[in-house]
Amino acid sequence: MACNSPVLMVRRDWVLESWEFSSGKVDRTVRLDHMRAPASRMAPLALVAFTVDGTILAACEPLCSGFATWDVYSGQRILEFWGHKLPVTALHFSPDSQQVASGDEGGCLQLWNAHTGESLMILTGHLKVVTSLAWVQAPFSSSSLLASASLDATVRLWDPELGGSIPSLDVAEATSTSQAAVESWQLSPAATTCLDVDTTATRLAIGTKGGKVAIVKLPHGGTLGLLASYQSPVNQVVFSPCDDLLGTCCIDENCITLLDAKDKHLTPFRRFTVVSLQSFTWLSSISIGSLQSFPSSTARLWSIETGKEEGKREVHDTELAALRAYSS
């Protein structure tokens, strides 16, 4: 069954397109205002993160120590965020879209007011590059928590609230005057590369540089599932909208594998081979059965039930940075 949801396509040449797979129609094209004064040649767009409602986009250039936010519908730049000493490597909005978290090459995390650009807190503890961030709107805490993954082979769970704490968690010193509660899981010897949280905020999926995929229980980390899925680094882990499947992606192996997220063995459900794979995202619920994957210049729609390709859109003269379903 084809997916009829509008799709927002973010291109590396700083252009947004909205379109539908069913008709192939592009109904809107928006160019993002550049972060700095126009140069003779703009650097390609790198990291991309969206607010929960998909109306605001955060992104930056490669090897850049700052990032900016944009209005998705107008392309107008809203704010710029500068404060990292090293290039930004990870971005993620809080569930209420009031804060945005960033991580950098040196392992430093910063929390920002998404509406004013004010730096709220700096968190230190990781020893290497921060590879992924995920906010957790946790039922076991009154505040939103922040999960971070790093090439130092740890995943940390932070409570950014001033004076906040989580029962039985260790307290780590933040570089601000406050303290943030943190749970740290050592996944030695594999460096961690990607994270995702399920919709109930009770499970955290983790991908590693060694090709392993794990699901741990929040907030204290008991392992619910572990699988050696690839021989190369896992680039992406994403729970399905119904949380029953976990999509995983390995760019080096041109492969997307869907795993049974409720099985402790994480039994593979379906595998897609995609040449020049870049990334993937879920576009709809399992009942509709649509999974979106895309290589560098072609967006493709795959059926979860049959494994067959249902549609595609080619993009010329640029690469894709991200795709997202949204409400027009």
Side-chain angles (χ1 to χ4, degrees):
M1 182 182 300
C3 175
N4 295 317
S5 300
V7 178
L8 184 67
M9 181 168 60
V10 184
R11 298 172 11 179
R12 293 201 185 277
D13 59 358
W14 300 82
V15 171
L16 308 182
E17 289 184 356
S18 64
W19 48 287
E20 295 183 357
F21 266 107
S22 56
S23 65
K25 179 182 177 181
V26 175
D27 57 21
R28 184 168 56 89
T29 300
V30 176
R31 179 171 290 278
L32 298 177
D33 293 338
H34 199 237
M35 282 183 63
R36 292 177 270 187
S40 58
R41 180 169 184 158
M42 287 191 295
L45 182 149
L47 295 173
V48 177
F50 289 93
T51 53
V52 173
D53 61 8
T55 59
I56 297 177
L57 164 74
C60 68
E61 300 173 358
L63 303 177
C64 182
S65 59
F67 65 97
T69 54
W70 288 264
D71 180 279
V72 166
Y73 295 99
S74 68
Q76 182 177 0
R77 187 175 66 255
I78 302 172
L79 287 171
E80 293 192 8
F81 301 76
W82 298 95
H84 284 280
K85 296 180 180 179
L86 295 172
V88 174
T89 54
L91 294 169
H92 208 279
F93 282 97
S94 62
D96 61 6
S97 302
Q98 299 301 305
Q99 297 181 42
V100 59
S102 57
D104 68 24
E105 280 191 354
C108 178
L109 279 69
Q110 289 205 48
L111 307 184
W112 310 81
N113 184 312
H115 301 290
T116 68
E118 177 189 3
S119 178
L120 302 175
M121 186 177 291
I122 298 175
L123 300 171
T124 58
H126 285 301
L127 303 178
K128 294 184 179 180
V129 178
V130 176
T131 55
S132 185
L133 298 169
W135 283 88
V136 184
Q137 186 61 61
F140 46 79
S141 174
S142 59
S143 61
S144 296
L145 309 178
L146 178 65
S148 60
S150 169
L151 293 185
D152 65 6
T154 64
V155 172
R156 294 176 179 267
L157 188 64
W158 310 83
D159 185 350
E161 287 291 323
L162 299 183
S165 63
I166 304 174
S168 75
L169 292 186
D170 296 328
V171 176
E173 190 72 29
T175 56
S176 66
T177 57
S178 67
Q179 290 183 325
V182 60
E183 179 79 48
S184 180
W185 303 306
Q186 185 75 26
L187 299 179
S188 180
T192 55
T193 54
C194 49
L195 298 173
D196 193 39
V197 180
D198 71 0
T199 58
T200 65
T202 58
R203 294 181 299 170
L204 180 70
I206 303 168
T208 74
K209 190 174 181 180
K212 291 184 178 180
V213 177
I215 295 179
V216 299
K217 185 177 180 179
L218 293 173
H220 305 309
T223 303
L224 301 176
L226 179 65
L227 177 69
S229 188
Y230 303 104
Q231 299 298 315
S232 301
V234 182
N235 300 99
Q236 201 174 0
V237 288
V238 186
F239 281 102
S240 66
C242 295
D243 292 331
D244 53 354
L245 293 177
L246 179 68
T248 68
C249 159
C250 178
I251 292 177
D252 287 350
E253 298 181 19
N254 293 319
C255 185
I256 296 171
T257 304
L258 307 185
L259 308 175
D260 185 345
K262 296 183 178 181
D263 178 8
K264 67 178 181 179
H265 301 295
L266 299 182
T267 304
F269 171 76
R270 190 171 299 283
R271 179 166 293 201
F272 301 89
T273 299
V274 186
V275 178
S276 301
L277 176 66
Q278 172 103 6
S279 182
F280 78 96
T281 186
W282 300 91
L283 287 189
S284 57
S285 66
I286 299 304
S287 61
I288 296 177
S290 297
L291 176 73
Q292 181 66 49
S293 64
F294 60 96
S296 58
S297 59
T298 305
R300 299 175 185 269
L301 181 70
W302 303 87
S303 167
I304 296 171
E305 288 83 1
T306 66
K308 295 181 179 179
E309 182 181 309
E310 294 188 350
K312 67 179 181 179
R313 173 171 173 76
E314 294 185 357
V315 181
H316 301 286
D317 302 323
T318 188
E319 294 183 350
L320 302 181
L323 291 176
R324 179 186 171 90
Y326 77 108
S327 299
S328 57

